[in-house]
Amino acid sequence: MSRSEHSRRQLEAQARKLLERTFTGLDSLHRNVLTALLSRTGTGWRLLVKTTLPSNDGRSADAFLIGRTGVLALLITDGDPDDEMTRQVLRHAKERFAGIPGPQGRALAESAIHLVVIGSGSGRARQDGVYWRLTESGLDRVFRRDAHLNQRLVALIAEQAERRLRDYRPLTVQLPDRGPEAAGLLDATELIEDQLGAAQRRPFDSWLTFLHPRQNAIVKRDYAGPARISGPAGTGKTVVALHRLRHLARLSTGPLLFTTYVHSLPSVIKTAFDRLAPELEGRAEFTNLHAWVRRFLAERNVPVNVDRRKIDTAFSFAWMAYREQLQILEPSVDYWRTELDRVIKGRGISTLDGYLAAARRGRILRLNASQKEHVWGLYEHYQRGLADKGVHDYNDLIELGRAELVKRPLETPYAAVVVDEVQDIPLCGLRLLRELAGDGPNKLLLVGDGQQQVYPGGWRLSDAGIPVQGRGEILKVNYRNRAEVLGFAQRFDATNRVDDLDGADGVALRAAESASAGGTTATWRGASRDLPDALVSAVRGLPVRRDHSALIVFHHKDLSRCTEILRAANIPTLALENYTGEADGKLKIGTVHRAKGLDFQAVLVLENTLEGVTGSQAEEERRELRGRQHLVAATRARDFLWWGVLDDSAPVDSAPVKSAPVESEPKPKEPEKVVEEVCVHDMPISWCSLCRKPPPDVLPHGYRTGEGNSYHNDPDCTWLRRGQGRAHRQGKNVHDVTRLAWGSVTPGELEPCEHCCSPQWMRRHGHR
């Protein structure tokens, strides 16, 4: 008998004896279920059992089980409870646990409290209304649910629950001491934490392939078709994908492909894979999607001509023809170019009817049928320009590759295809990848996170026809960023415009649990004249090796500016597009688009405040995009983050002004007439729901509930959550928290929350 099996039997024997001493007259169902649950308290779970069992009061749970998956209110019965009973039991549970601190110090979310009804016999688990139905034989499912809490929080929640639940008693069992020979041994959790700490202490190169022991099961899982891995930044998605690629390589003999939309990522991943599995050199191909298609078409002798200069010229002529009709809707030419690249051609739309019917996911600016016809005219003019010049754009390149694959598939198909940063790949690219990999077992793995989308637009994976239902993994623990760095990154409001790849609820970075303490952050804010000294000082003061660090910007003009500053200071740099993952003593530098998917020990970020924000819907879309880009930049850092803000909006002191002649009697100043600025809709700005500016302590986008009368900066505002709790206790509908722009609020409809729309809140969250 193995040691683990022997320990399990010891715990079960203790549990049976404890239950016999504590309760009399338990039926077999209660006895078997409580024995199984109680034996788990020896491995960190906490169990609170009603003092009088069996109980038929119908208003409260028989027991509460508290662990890493949350709080489970348990009803032990063979019968099916009616709706009224389940509502009362769940209400009792939520009231007793209301206000107990949860992750990040916030109150434990009601979504972490679940009702489970356990019956006798065997059978499949099922969701039945508001509760989860299990049987004795399926109790292990309780312990296989996704983890939300760490051990410290489990203990904190259980201790407070014991004081609140006076009709319940805590029960626990534990293994007897093993004697002197066991001294110094660590339990499983301590061993895992020690492995994480040891990985962080080793050279940074080895950290890039560190697989957390809890993720090993995903690496070896068998999927019957296409699968996906999602989760917030820093949860180890790419590392899991790398280890899975090695696992699949050892199980097969065919070639493998790792691809992504990011130009700079494949070479870095290849270097990491070569360190991880040197014996598999040459088995796996690492390349970005466009490079793969170019090579494939060249091998098939399919003519293709991608010329960036001629592409730009074709679009410029098309824009000149339709600028008058479209500029009144949105003056930015980049917005309409993105409409063509990411919505029309990126989704493979080839007819006006198709465009009229398309849901423009990720685009806030609404277009009616007449306006879409103007956009379609722009598209057709652009297409004629490409044809006249004999060139293809990047979407054409992908469509040519897909058509060739459909016509004649690969002679030697890939054993597996892994796609990283999938959220930035257009739908036409996803359709190509499906043709490339097929739907066979373990053939296609998609890895990504909608919160890290750095290009405009959005999609649903179902639009690409890739079936992944039931084959999805969501990672929730952040292993990359130390606590201080993660806390800084969690402040960014990054809206997810891509679903969780199979329709499931995604996990935002705010909800991610930090696995690593420590870390350091620093901030700077100043004008252009102060940037050289601040940037050079920050680089020279880096607490880690320079070649394990990166400088990330959001605009090409800032990239050029910073490159010149560092060159003048004799600080060697390497552009991110040329980075291969090898140590070279140089600071890496590039835009956030090139930094996607990369890890660094230290990161410096430069943000430029002058972005021309006006409050329109198109600008709101750009704010959302910038929020996601800010999150991506901040989460590239493991140990140290420097965030610089370039702000030239403050008035610059002018040269001294000569004294004016002294007059015997100064002329009285006439009162200035205050004329309110008129917006683009020919209304005073304060009257216009689209253009009016927010009050000083109100963010341009915030949150409300369906029936609420307040506008909140914070979706987790204490008073917002209290209002929802009050509505729940009164039996009213509890509306979801929704995101909205201040400019979309009808004047007088909502008032700023006095708690989170305050100077104190703004300072605490770094907005001042």
Side-chain angles (χ1 to χ4, degrees), residues 668-693:
K669 291 184 178 180
E670 295 183 2
E672 295 182 359
K673 294 182 179 180
V674 179
V675 179
E676 185 171 359
E677 185 181 353
V678 176
C679 74
V680 295
H681 304 98
D682 293 327
M683 298 173 62
I685 284 183
S686 63
W687 296 6
C688 182
S689 63
L690 296 177
C691 299
R692 66 194 182 100
K693 295 180 174 61

Side-chain angles (χ1 to χ4, degrees), residues 245 255-259 283-287 292 295 414-419 433 436:
L245 194 64
L256 302 103
L257 175 65
F258 180 101
T259 189
R283 280 287 308 282
E285 180 182 353
F286 297 84
T287 184
W292 186 92
R295 180 183 59 77
Y414 286 106
V417 176
V418 175
V419 186
L433 289 165
L436 183 62

Side-chain angles (χ1 to χ4, degrees), residues 483-500:
E484 286 296 318
V485 176
L486 179 60
F488 190 100
Q490 286 174 326
R491 298 187 304 178
F492 295 115
D493 188 11
T495 304
N496 186 344
R497 289 293 176 182
V498 177
D499 70 0
D500 190 46

Side-chain angles (χ1 to χ4, degrees), residues 162-225:
E162 289 173 14
R163 293 194 291 269
R164 297 183 180 196
L165 295 165
R166 298 185 181 277
D167 296 334
Y168 292 77
R169 67 179 68 183
L171 297 179
T172 183
V173 295
Q174 58 184 2
L175 289 171
D177 293 336
R178 295 184 181 275
E181 71 278 7
L185 292 179
L186 299 173
D187 64 21
T189 301
E190 289 172 328
L191 285 171
I192 289 173
E193 291 174 351
D194 184 63
Q195 289 185 47
L196 177 61
Q200 291 169 336
R201 291 189 294 270
R202 288 196 291 267
F204 187 70
D205 293 342
S206 66
W207 161 258
L208 298 177
T209 56
F210 168 70
L211 180 73
H212 197 278
R214 292 196 181 99
Q215 297 173 331
N216 193 50
I218 301 174
V219 170
K220 298 180 179 178
R221 194 154 293 161
D222 188 41
Y223 297 108

